[in-house]
């Protein structure tokens, strides 16, 4: 048994994708961030332009048209329905790696003021560049990684004052 996903496209369309639809999807990776998708005898070229695993938001190009996509699974929906969505992230003083990867770029410096959702760094994981965003507004206290460094899941990346 698989997961059901709610997919929001461009903030104006919503789809529910059932487990059987996920398992029947014919998807082939053709190159870095590029895929060939065959569904209901129709062929699609897909490219993941940007991705953020923390917010589960992606910029995807399908047959030349770009779409902003947000994916919610059952747990995300339960948390949202209980009224807990993002409430904890506003009070956090740390940013940790959501998965193992390589630090490609760091956009902030110690002492810098940042706004919520501003780009902190780029973490490459599974050949995809993930833009790690600030969970809150605040001042950067420390940066615990360097450009080019490999990190494990839950590795401390940045601390706030």
């Amino acid at each position: 048994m698989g997961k059901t996903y709610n997919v929001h496209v461009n903030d104006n369309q919503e789809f529910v994708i059932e487990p059987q639809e996920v398992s029947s999807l014919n998807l082939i990776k053709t190159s870095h961030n590029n895929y060939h998708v065959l569904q209901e005898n129709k062929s699609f070229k897909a490219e993941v332009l940007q991705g953020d695993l923390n917010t589960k938001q992606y910029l995807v190009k399908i047959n030349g048209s770009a779409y902003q996509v947000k994916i919610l699974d059952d747990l995300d929906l339960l948390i949202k329905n209980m009224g807990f969505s993002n409430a904890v992230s506003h009070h956090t003083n740390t940013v940790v790696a959501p998965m193992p990867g390589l630090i490609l770029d760091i956009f902030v410096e110690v002492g810098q003021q940042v706004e919520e959702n501003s780009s902190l760094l780029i973490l490459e994981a599974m050949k995809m560049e993930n833009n790690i965003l600030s969970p809150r507004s605040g001042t950067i206290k420390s940066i615990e990684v360097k450009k080019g460094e490999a990190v494990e899941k839950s590795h401390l990346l940045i601390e706030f004052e």
Side-chain angles (χ1 to χ4, degrees):
M1 182 168 168
K3 290 184 177 181
T4 299
Y5 298 95
N6 270 30
V7 180
H8 299 261
V9 180
N10 293 339
D11 289 327
N12 64 7
Q13 293 180 322
E14 184 176 333
F15 302 94
V16 175
I17 300 176
E18 299 293 339
Q20 63 271 20
E21 293 174 291
V22 174
S23 63
S24 69
L25 187 63
N26 187 345
L27 178 98
I28 299 171
K29 185 171 187 168
T30 57
S31 65
H32 177 72
N33 291 348
N34 290 287
Y35 302 86
H36 180 264
V37 181
L38 185 62
Q39 185 177 19
E40 298 177 5
N41 296 320
K42 292 181 182 175
S43 178
F44 302 92
K45 289 174 72 176
E47 180 181 5
V48 179
L49 301 173
Q50 293 178 337
D52 184 345
L53 292 174
N54 288 329
T55 61
K56 297 180 184 175
Q57 293 188 35
Y58 304 90
L59 181 60
V60 180
K61 187 173 10 174
I62 307 290
N63 288 346
S65 297
Y67 302 93
Q68 187 70 41
V69 178
K70 181 170 181 145
I71 301 171
L72 301 173
D73 62 19
D74 294 334
L75 179 59
D76 297 322
L77 292 172
L78 178 61
I79 290 169
K80 181 179 176 183
N81 290 337
M82 292 175 69
F84 293 119
S85 61
N86 292 333
V88 175
S89 67
H90 295 286
H91 301 290
T92 186
N93 287 327
T94 61
V95 176
V96 297
M99 69 191 71
L102 181 69
I103 304 298
L104 292 184
D105 209 349
I106 300 172
F107 304 121
V108 295
E109 298 176 352
V110 172
Q112 181 177 339
Q113 285 285 122
V114 296
E115 297 298 318
E116 183 178 355
N117 293 324
S118 60
S119 295
L120 298 175
L121 55 86
I122 299 290
L123 175 69
E124 181 186 51
M126 300 182 294
K127 304 275 186 200
M128 192 160 85
E129 294 181 7
N130 299 285
N131 188 11
I132 305 300
L133 302 177
S134 177
R136 66 176 182 93
S137 297
T139 304
I140 303 296
K141 178 180 178 181
S142 68
I143 301 170
E144 302 298 323
V145 292
K146 293 183 175 118
K147 188 175 177 179
E149 183 178 345
V151 296
E152 293 297 320
K153 182 178 179 172
S154 300
H155 182 97
L156 178 62
L157 303 174
I158 292 177
E159 279 187 295
F160 288 90
E161 289 183 358

